[in-house]
């Protein structure tokens, strides 16, 4: 009788611990961009609430915000991916947040982005291809392709953007 009680008790404790462990951490979610306040964690420029904004959620809950997916990549390259819980990009058309690994990307050196990396995010391949077709330039990239992408900035575009009167000024 005692053995049966012990087995039931042990089984209940084991099941409870498995359930609690499975519910440990909530799924990471992106947070709203505070335009005019939030600064990019790489280049320190203001992060506009637009289709170029990206976020990285660390395992400790800290949210890193970036004004361009190129800055997000620069942070990951420098700091590694071990502490990353999730990465989010925004759909070019709707500004809807999507997990980086679920997005499709369009790249051309002349696609205008905040820091002139030329990579735009789309929630699906069809939308990315449509954009490329409309622009008559560019190529599709998958999340895996981003790992080997050259991440070169269009310095001529950067120079032109800096000459615009409303260009955000670096805080340093």
């Amino acid at each position: 009788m005692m053995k049966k009680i012990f087995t039931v008790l042990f089984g209940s404790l084991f099941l409870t611990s498995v359930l609690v462990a499975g519910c440990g951490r909530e799924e990471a979610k992106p947070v709203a961009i505070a335009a005019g306040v939030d600064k990019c964690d790489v280049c320190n420029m203001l992060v506009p609430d637009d289709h170029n904004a990206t976020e990285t959620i660390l395992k400790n809950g800290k949210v890193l915000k970036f004004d361009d997916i190129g800055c997000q990549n620069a942070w990951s390259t420098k700091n590694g991916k071990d502490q990353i819980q999730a990465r989010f990009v925004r759909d070019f058309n709707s500004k809807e947040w999507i997990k980086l690994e679920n997005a499709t990307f369009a790249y051309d050196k002349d696609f205008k982005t905040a820091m002139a990396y030329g990579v735009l995010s789309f929630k699906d391949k069809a939308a990315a291809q449509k954009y490329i077709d409309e622009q008559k330039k560019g190529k599709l990239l998958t999340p895996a392709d981003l790992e080997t992408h050259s991440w070169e900035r269009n310095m001529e575009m950067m120079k032109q953007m800096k000459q615009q009167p409303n260009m955000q000024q670096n805080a340093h």
Side-chain angles (χ1 to χ4, degrees):
M1 177 75 169
M2 191 66 145
K3 187 176 181 182
K4 187 175 182 179
I5 292 172
F6 177 76
T7 303
V8 169
L9 183 61
F10 180 76
S12 295
L13 286 172
F14 177 74
L15 182 60
T16 301
S17 66
V18 168
L19 289 173
V20 169
C23 298
R25 188 188 331 225
E26 282 187 32
E27 184 178 349
K29 294 187 167 84
V31 299
I33 299 291
V37 176
D38 289 333
K39 291 187 179 175
C40 178
D41 280 280
V42 168
C43 70
N44 215 29
M45 300 287 278
L46 290 173
V47 178
D49 188 16
D50 68 6
H51 64 269
N52 289 311
T54 68
E55 291 183 353
T56 295
I57 315 296
L58 301 180
K59 290 177 181 173
N60 68 8
K62 183 176 180 179
V63 178
L64 305 175
K65 298 179 182 183
F66 307 96
D67 61 345
D68 191 301
I69 191 172
C71 288
Q72 184 180 43
N73 179 73
W75 188 93
S76 297
T77 299
K78 179 180 178 187
N79 296 286
K81 296 186 178 126
D82 292 345
Q83 52 189 315
I84 296 174
Q85 183 177 359
R87 292 183 293 173
F88 294 92
V89 296
R90 288 181 114 171
D91 177 61
F92 178 82
N93 295 312
S94 69
K95 295 194 316 182
E96 171 189 340
W97 288 108
I98 44 180
K99 286 190 171 183
L100 184 141
E101 65 266 20
N102 296 334
T104 300
F105 305 90
Y107 166 74
D108 188 88
K109 70 178 185 64
D110 293 326
F111 289 167
K112 189 173 180 182
T113 64
M115 296 306 291
Y117 284 100
V119 177
L120 301 171
S121 310
F122 294 85
K123 64 182 171 184
D124 58 55
K125 184 178 179 180
Q129 187 62 58
K130 181 180 177 191
Y131 184 83
I132 289 168
D133 293 345
E134 289 170 351
Q135 301 302 310
K136 297 180 177 32
K137 62 183 169 184
K139 67 178 183 175
L140 283 176
L141 298 175
T142 66
D145 293 334
L146 296 181
E147 300 294 323
T148 57
H149 182 64
S150 65
W151 293 106
E152 293 175 30
R153 292 168 66 190
N154 181 333
M155 297 314 286
E156 185 60 35
M157 183 183 294
M158 282 299 299
K159 190 163 67 171
Q160 290 171 5
M161 289 191 303
K162 284 182 181 180
Q163 292 171 354
Q164 294 174 358
N166 63 349
M167 176 69 180
Q168 301 168 4
Q169 295 301 310
N170 196 319
H172 290 297

